[in-house]
Amino acid sequence: MRPDIAQQYRGRFAPSPSGFLHFGSLIAALASYLDAKHNNGQWLVRIEDIDPPREKAGASAEILKTLELFGLHWDEDVLYQSQQSRVYREVLAELSQQNLSYYCCCTRAQIKAAGGIYQGHCRQLAHPKNSSAIRVINSLGISQYNDLIQGQVTCNTALAQEDFIVLRKDGLFAYQLAVVVDDIYQNISHVIRGCDLLEPTARQLSFYQILQHTAPKFGHFPLAVTAAGFKLSKQNNAPEIDKKNPIPTLLSALTFLGQQPPKELKYASVTELLSWAITHWSIMQVPKSQEIVL
């Protein structure tokens, strides 16, 4: 990992290139951008391209182009997780050397049959590397934390205590490994993202402590859903946002985030609108619900 940068507000937006930006993605980008800029911080973009089978050709470039069209300009070079393999492997080696990880050959079907929560079956079995995933020994099991938007969050205790996977059986790096290692690598101080990640945050907070690093502050805004429990997502074929006329979509996103933009901003330029939004941003006005039906 690289040396710490002088501590300041450093936020990020980390889309996966499994599709193009939709309204839910824009909310995530805008919320993280405004919170960073309102606090005189830096805003970074990271492309989470560590799962090639799920990626869509050309999506990474199109995502970046869309962000620029909506006036959301990042402050440092874009970080691609596909270029971080050396860093991830260093962390995996450190975990192994400190006896903080082990090989696991349990299947999803076996875990589901045992109740759906992994019980540490392989922890003492010394499985070989072949056809095995790597799990981290989760001795902390953090299940509660204070969220900048949602307040006190309590997660499923059994799930929070699981030894979670950091390297998949197919050799791909797991999300929990990559996201925490990259937030440390980029010295991220604040993570503003959707409520679909409330539960994973508990695991990530445990992982920060296992790696002996201070965790960022987390804030989770409501998910945009078309019906209760059915969020806008690339997997659900959410429509791509209209790039030809950004203002109406930006105004809708600001309203979704509880920011109450004045009506006259519909005649503003993208720069003028974002300038107003940065100045008037209030994270306290973001709704504390976990989802909002559009």
Side-chain angles (χ1 to χ4, degrees), residues 23 32 63-65 166 178 210 225 234 240 254 265:
F23 185 65
S32 58
I63 286 170
L64 297 179
K65 178 181 176 182
V166 287
I210 292 168
V225 299
K234 297 162 189 171
E240 183 182 359
L254 285 170
L265 281 177

Side-chain angles (χ1 to χ4, degrees), residues 159-177:
L159 190 62
Q161 292 175 345
E162 269 192 328
D163 290 348
F164 51 86
I165 290 175
V166 287
L167 185 73
R168 292 166 27 177
K169 280 186 180 181
D170 58 10
L172 295 178
F173 299 107
Y175 168 73
Q176 303 291 6
L177 172 78

Side-chain angles (χ1 to χ4, degrees), residues 1-286:
M1 303 228 186
R2 68 184 191 180
D4 283 350
I5 301 167
Q7 185 61 29
Q8 59 173 317
Y9 189 114
R10 287 171 64 83
R12 50 78 162 174
F13 173 57
S16 62
S18 54
F20 304 132
L21 288 191
H22 53 76
F23 185 65
S25 307
L26 179 68
I27 292 168
L30 185 62
S32 58
Y33 175 85
L34 293 178
D35 202 59
K37 294 305 176 182
H38 181 77
N39 289 286
N40 299 312
Q42 293 179 308
W43 185 67
L44 284 63
V45 172
R46 177 193 310 153
I47 300 294
E48 295 189 337
D49 57 343
I50 54 168
D51 194 350
R54 293 181 59 243
E55 292 169 21
K56 185 170 183 176
S60 293
E62 193 63 27
I63 286 170
L64 297 179
K65 178 181 176 182
T66 303
L67 290 175
E68 290 185 317
L69 288 171
F70 277 75
L72 304 176
H73 303 290
W74 48 96
D75 292 307
E76 295 182 3
D77 290 343
V78 174
L79 181 72
Y80 292 84
Q81 287 189 329
S82 59
Q83 299 174 2
Q84 290 285 88
S85 296
R86 178 187 59 79
V87 181
Y88 302 151
R89 294 203 178 279
E90 287 176 357
V91 173
L92 290 173
E94 290 172 8
L95 291 170
S96 177
Q97 291 165 7
Q98 297 172 30
N99 296 315
L100 293 174
S101 64
Y102 59 92
Y103 290 113
C104 171
C105 61
C106 293
T107 64
R108 289 184 180 180
Q110 288 172 327
I111 295 170
K112 184 177 180 180
I117 302 292
Y118 177 72
Q119 302 292 336
H121 175 76
C122 296
R123 189 185 291 186
Q124 306 298 333
L125 297 183
H127 285 302
K129 178 179 180 180
N130 294 341
S131 301
S132 295
I134 296 178
R135 291 184 182 269
V136 68
I137 296 175
N138 183 8
S139 58
L140 297 166
I142 293 172
S143 61
Q144 292 186 327
Y145 61 92
N146 188 55
D147 189 87
L148 294 171
I149 297 170
Q150 301 296 328
Q152 187 70 17
V153 174
T154 301
C155 301
N156 181 313
T157 302
L159 190 62
Q161 292 175 345
E162 269 192 328
D163 290 348
F164 51 86
I165 290 175
V166 287
L167 185 73
R168 292 166 27 177
K169 280 186 180 181
D170 58 10
L172 295 178
F173 299 107
Y175 168 73
Q176 303 291 6
L177 172 78
V179 69
V180 170
V181 170
D182 284 338
D183 280 342
I184 293 171
Y185 182 83
Q186 294 187 291
N187 207 38
I188 298 300
S189 67
H190 292 70
V191 176
I192 307 298
R193 59 189 184 184
C195 277
D196 53 333
L197 292 168
L198 283 172
E199 292 271 7
T201 296
R203 291 184 172 190
Q204 290 161 28
L205 288 169
S206 294
F207 199 26
Y208 280 106
Q209 288 198 30
I210 292 168
L211 296 177
Q212 299 182 355
H213 280 271
T214 302
K217 294 179 180 179
F218 288 90
H220 293 84
F221 52 80
L223 295 176
V225 299
T226 53
F230 194 82
K231 73 167 185 172
L232 285 180
S233 70
K234 297 162 189 171
Q235 288 77 16
N236 292 332
N237 299 313
E240 183 182 359
I241 53 177
D242 181 7
K243 298 192 290 289
K244 296 179 181 178
N245 188 13
I247 294 297
T249 308
L250 284 169
L251 287 171
S252 295
L254 285 170
T255 301
F256 181 93
L257 291 166
Q259 301 306 297
Q260 302 176 336
K263 293 180 180 179
E264 54 266 26
L265 281 177
K266 66 182 180 180
Y267 303 110
S269 66
V270 169
T271 301
E272 291 168 339
L273 175 55
L274 289 178
S275 178
W276 178 92
I278 291 168
T279 301
H280 294 86
W281 169 255
S282 172
I283 199 169
M284 301 303 294
Q285 289 179 225
V286 178

